[in-house]
Every structure is written in C-alpha cells, then in structure tokens.
Amino acid sequence: MSNRDVAQAWAYHDGTKHSVASVRGSRHFLDWDIMPRPFKVYPELEPIALPRDFTTSTRPALAALAEPGAAAGDGPRLDRAALARLLYFSAGVLRRKTYPGGEIYYRAAACTGALYHIDLYIVCGPLADLEAGVYHFGPHDFALRRLRAGDHRGAVVEATAHEPAVAVAPALVAFTSTFWRNAWKYEARAYRHCFWDGGTLLANLLAVAAAVALPARIVLGFVDDELNRLLDLDTAREVTLGLVALGRGGAAAQPAPSFGPLGLATLPLSAREVDYPAIRKAHAASSLSTAKKVAAWRGALPARPALPAGGTVVPLAPQTQATPESIEAVILRRGSTRTFGHQPMSFDVLSTILHVATRGILGDFVTPEASLADLYLIVHAVDGLEPGTYVFQRAAGTLERLRAGSFRREAGFLGLGQALPADAAADVFWLADLAPILERFGNRGYRAAQLAAAIEGGKTYLAAFALGIGATGLTFFDDEVTAFFSPHAAGKSVMFLMAFGRPAGRRQR
Ligand SMILES: Cc1cc2nc3c(=O)[nH]c(=O)nc-3n(C[C@H](O)[C@H](O)[C@H](O)COP(=O)(O)O)c2cc1C
C-alpha cells in the first residue's frame, strides 16, 4: 500500500460518512458486556508516581491559546513536575462520576463518547529527576511506567528523518490510539476520532506548554513502524498518531541503542474485541516506510489565496485581554455543555473565540499561515451579528455572510438530529478541501487535515470556557453539511463541528 494512492483516503472517508440512510440502516448497538476499559494498564511494571502539587502558570489563558508554540529560548527546565503538569492538564483524570452502570473518569480534554482511547508516551533523555527512557503515562493512577531504560531519542530522530525540533528536544510526547476503545461505540468512524480526540488533547497540551513558554512542535512525519516498535505497540490494535517535540537543549540525543520487542503484559480491555479492518487499512495506507519518504513528506502546503468576498463582510472584534484566568483554571472548569438555552452570546465573545483559535499551529506539516481547513458558521443568536451562515476569512479576520436567515432547524439536522446545535448561539464547522491536501501529502494528509481541524476545535472549546460560555464538540451528516454551505463549500469535506452558547438555565453574564 502506498501513501500516494489517495483513493485509499477517499475510500475511508466516503465509507465512514454519516447520512440519514447510514444512521437509519445501522444495526450497530452498544454491547455493554464488552465495553472496553478506558485505560492501558501494565500490571507488572512499577509505577513512578508523578507529583500533583503543580504550580499554576500566570499567563492569561487566551494568550496561551493564541500562541502557535514557538516560544523563544529553551523554555523552563523539564523535570518530573513539569511533565506531570503537562500530562495532567491534557490527559489527566479530572473528575469521576458514578452511574448505575459504573463510573466515568472524565479527563482534561473532550473525547468522543468519553471513551478516552488516546494514550501518551514520553521518550526522554536524562532529566533532572527522571532517568532517560521510554515511558507510558497511566492516567488511572497518575504515574509513569518505564518501558525502556536509556536514551532512545535517537530512534525518534532517525524515524522523523532528523526533524529539527525533534533533534534538539529533551523530551518527546508520542500520542497513540487503541482503536477498540473508541470503535466499540463508533465502529470504523473511530479512525476519524483518533485525530479529533488527539486534537482536543493537543490543544490542551500546546496551551499548557505555551503558558510557561515551553516550545512545542507537532510532528506527523515519521517512519510508522519504527515508532510503533519503539513503543512496543501491537499495531493491529494501537498505533502512533503523532509526536510533540517539547523544549530545546539539554543533553544531546545519543545514537540510538538497539532495541527489541518487550512482550509486556497489559490488562485485557474487554472479554472480546471487534476488529474494524477499514481502520487498519486507512492507517496502513497513510504510513511512511523510510526516512527518505519522511523527509520528502515534510513541509506545509503553500498558503491559499483568500477568495474575494462576495457578500457582506463583518470584521471580527476580538477582546484578547478579556480575562486574566490561567489555562489550568479554564481546563479545570471545561466540560461539554449538555443543553444550550437560546440566549444570545456577544459578538465580542464569538470574535475572540475565532481569533484565538486560528492564530496557527506549528508542525512539520503546517505553519500559522498555511491552515488546512476553513471555518463555516451558522449564527443563530449573536448580538450585533445578523443570523445566517458565514465563512471565516482567516487572513482578513472577517466573517463573510453567505446567507441571511434563521437556520436552527437545519443546524439540528446537520448535527445528526441533536438538539445541541439547534439550541446553541452559533455552530462552527471546519471544512477541508481534501483534494490539494492529499495531492501534497498523500493519504497521510488525511491524518493531518483531521488533526489540524481538531486542534483548532479544541482551542475553541477552551477559549469559550475562558470567556464564560459553553461549548461542545459534535458529530454530523457529512454531505448534508457540504451541501448546506454550497456553492461556497462545494467539494470540501467536513472535519469537525463545535457548538457555542449559554448553557440552559444559567443567567447571562
Ligand atoms: C469531536 C467530538 C465530538 C463530539 N460529539 C458529540 C455529539 O455528537 N453529541 C454529544 O452530546 N457530545 C459530543 N461530544 C462531547 C463528548 O461526549 C464529551 O467530550 C465527553 O463525554 C467527555 O466529557 P467532557 O467534554 O465534559 O469532559 C463530542 C466531543 C468531541 C471532542
């Protein structure tokens, strides 16, 4: 299978679209007897406890969210406490809720179905109070477990074809998905959720890093087999999705020591697992097999020229000084809004959310100028902005009106018939023009487009809560969304959806 055979990405995307017919015709049901455990647990490895007495950052949350990740300098010293802070506020368990059927461990970042299929691993050189090694992060007991001793960053440097940020990073975070933990509910669509839920997690991680001026760069170009081997993953079930290079400087990476399989025991996720070959196929088809291919893969799309606006244009009015609250405080308060009232939100707040979330991300596939997705809005109730549909013009920082009118009913339908997008004050859809993205990046561009949209979506989640309003991620009927925003959106594919507004039953601030 070749990354260049982009029919594979289209086949996966088209094959996992929601339509009225696909949802009505689905015979899938939730088999509670095999609901997967939401944690990867290595029962035979000693836990290395992480400290919970974090110091909180002082930079305002909105400034941290707006920062693409290129802090000047090396950033603060990375030690166990610094890693603990990053891990807690991106993948940590923040709340437990007991239900008649069991317990849900809510984590720092939103996740489809609260199924938490993303795991984090650390590959680091010698840090002040942590030996060099390859570690797995266990959110269930907030501890690291060492999978391999020694400095294995060299293997990551090789696998990423000497990606410059990886080559100088004291620590690398790898994020993986164990498909079954999400596919139990979402079947083959779970592969999209790898990037959606990886993206919301990274939005938290990037903001928490930016809040303390820690450089952080996302890396999606790597030899898949090499990283999967390093983390000792059973790749029919769990794969590496990407990396974040953290910090700069410190002890240089050593030449990679050789390493073999570990065969470590992990607790079973459920009595039985169901395999979804479409997921494995999409992942294999977007894999890179050599460092040479990785080096050729790297690099952003050229920035796309903005189309001249055809309709009424409204400049955003962001208020980035709006709140001094820290990103940690915002993350502790975030939780998906379960019911929206119909109350309006202010234009300042909508502007600020859009502005902050679209300052750009840094990665080997993207620059702040070369985004991969366009934002389309359905505005229901925003003070000072006529209800209707809009497209966001990134470079100009404006909203261009496509259609005036009230579209609550349509929004409810597009969001899979749920009340949330109908009752919200505004819905934001990320649509990507996949053809040029796949042309440039091959099938792996599909991973990149989904992830980039989800990181922005995750930033909007946090920006909304920083500004005192509610938000939730949502799923959608694919082609119906594109048709709704067409002709402007013709040919584009929906990557992500967020709804914003005031939670029902709360008085307006
Ligand atoms: C990409 C994405 C899509 C989601 N889709 C829906 C949805 O369609 N309907 C819904 O009620 N919640 C949806 N959610 C919200 C999740 O159910 C929620 O994040 C999860 O239960 C964890 O709770 P928390 O966000 O309050 O921490 C979605 C979340 C994400 C990140």
Side-chain angles (χ1 to χ4, degrees):
M1 255 189 261
S2 156
N3 183 49
R4 300 292 348 155
D5 175 14
V6 301
Q8 300 289 334
W10 284 116
Y12 172 78
H13 186 68
D14 292 340
T16 54
K17 282 180 176 171
H18 277 328
S19 66
V20 175
S22 76
V23 170
R24 275 208 193 123
S26 169
R27 298 219 230 121
H28 183 63
F29 66 97
L30 296 183
D31 185 348
W32 296 99
D33 290 343
I34 52 166
M35 185 187 184
R37 178 194 307 278
F39 300 108
K40 182 172 192 181
V41 180
Y42 293 92
E44 288 162 10
L45 294 183
E46 280 302 308
I48 302 168
L50 288 167
R52 288 175 185 267
D53 50 343
F54 323 109
T55 47
T56 298
S57 61
T58 51
R59 194 171 184 196
L62 292 174
L65 284 165
E67 161 72 53
D74 294 348
R77 187 174 77 149
L78 274 178
D79 55 15
R80 226 190 262 199
L83 288 177
R85 182 178 155 272
L86 289 164
L87 295 168
Y88 184 74
F89 289 106
S90 59
V93 174
L94 267 49
R95 273 180 284 280
R96 294 175 186 210
K97 271 197 197 159
T98 311
Y99 291 93
E103 241 183 333
I104 299 192
Y105 298 78
Y106 285 95
R107 304 209 195 164
C111 178
T112 50
L115 287 163
Y116 306 112
H117 52 124
I118 307 296
D119 272 89
L120 297 183
Y121 297 77
I122 306 280
V123 182
C124 62
L127 304 181
D129 53 3
L130 189 67
E131 288 172 24
V134 178
Y135 297 87
H136 172 259
F137 169 57
H140 62 290
D141 61 355
F142 200 57
L144 297 175
R145 281 175 177 74
R146 194 166 73 185
L147 307 182
R148 296 185 192 277
D151 188 352
H152 286 77
R153 287 175 299 159
V156 186
V157 174
E158 295 286 320
T160 59
H162 293 256
E163 203 286 331
V166 172
V168 297
L172 303 149
V173 179
F175 57 106
T176 70
S177 166
T178 303
F179 306 134
W180 169 237
R181 277 162 45 190
N182 196 260
W184 169 73
K185 178 169 182 184
Y186 297 104
E187 303 177 274
R189 201 164 155 104
Y191 190 57
R192 299 185 186 206
H193 298 190
C194 294
F195 305 99
W196 293 5
D197 299 325
T200 56
L201 188 155
L202 288 194
N204 283 35
L205 185 78
L206 295 176
V208 173
V212 294
L214 178 67
R217 183 176 167 87
I218 303 164
V219 177
L220 293 190
F222 51 87
V223 179
D224 294 72
D225 283 351
E226 286 303 304
L227 286 194
N228 291 335
R229 229 164 44 79
L230 182 67
L231 304 180
D232 200 44
L233 306 183
D234 168 3
T235 53
R237 302 169 62 253
E238 180 183 11
V239 296
T240 309
L241 302 170
L243 294 162
V244 182
L246 287 180
R248 294 189 195 106
Q254 303 298 310
S258 62
F259 55 87
L262 295 169
L264 294 167
T266 56
L267 293 187
L269 298 176
S270 50
R272 170 170 73 77
E273 298 186 10
V274 180
D275 177 39
Y276 290 90
I279 295 180
R280 285 188 289 103
K281 206 168 159 193
H283 194 71
S286 54
S287 292
L288 297 172
S289 54
T290 63
K292 199 169 159 209
K293 287 183 184 167
V294 169
W297 184 85
R298 204 155 52 214
L301 272 182
R304 292 168 297 153
L307 294 175
T312 304
V313 168
V314 185
L316 295 185
Q319 304 287 322
T320 44
Q321 304 301 320
T323 156
E325 206 179 13
S326 71
I327 190 67
E328 292 93 334
V330 172
I331 290 172
L332 291 175
R333 228 158 19 79
R334 190 208 61 79
S336 297
T337 303
R338 299 289 81 194
T339 321
F340 288 111
H342 281 213
Q343 305 98 307
M345 64 195 268
S346 75
F347 183 57
D348 288 0
V349 166
L350 178 66
S351 296
T352 308
I353 292 171
L354 296 179
H355 174 83
V356 160
T358 57
R359 293 307 85 208
I361 48 180
L362 285 183
D364 60 342
F365 63 101
V366 71
T367 62
E369 298 73 38
S371 61
L372 298 184
D374 301 317
L375 279 62
Y376 288 79
L377 287 78
I378 309 181
V379 171
H380 305 301
V382 177
D383 283 335
L385 188 64
E386 196 172 336
T389 65
Y390 293 82
V391 62
F392 175 52
Q393 301 287 2
R394 275 176 194 266
T398 57
L399 291 176
E400 176 190 341
R401 195 164 72 219
L402 301 176
R403 274 199 288 166
S406 171
F407 296 108
R408 284 197 187 274
R409 197 175 48 83
E410 291 81 350
F413 166 69
L414 295 175
L416 221 69
Q418 301 180 81
L420 286 160
D423 295 337
D427 302 307
V428 179
F429 298 78
W430 278 256
L431 272 70
D433 190 0
L434 281 180
I437 294 172
L438 299 182
E439 166 77 28
R440 163 68 187 83
F441 293 112
N443 292 316
R444 208 175 183 89
Y446 188 71
R447 302 186 191 181
Q450 293 282 11
L451 187 77
I455 292 172
E456 287 191 350
K459 288 188 178 200
T460 66
Y461 243 119
L462 296 171
F465 279 85
L467 293 160
I469 69 155
T472 186
L474 289 166
T475 198
F476 43 79
F477 285 125
D478 290 81
D479 289 345
E480 288 74 1
V481 173
T482 301
F484 179 74
F485 289 112
S486 288
H488 197 284
K492 296 184 187 174
S493 302
V494 194
M495 301 282 109
F496 207 82
L497 166 57
M498 288 290 300
F500 304 96
R502 298 195 175 280
R506 289 226 200 127
R507 285 208 278 133
Q508 187 165 345
R509 267 173 54 166

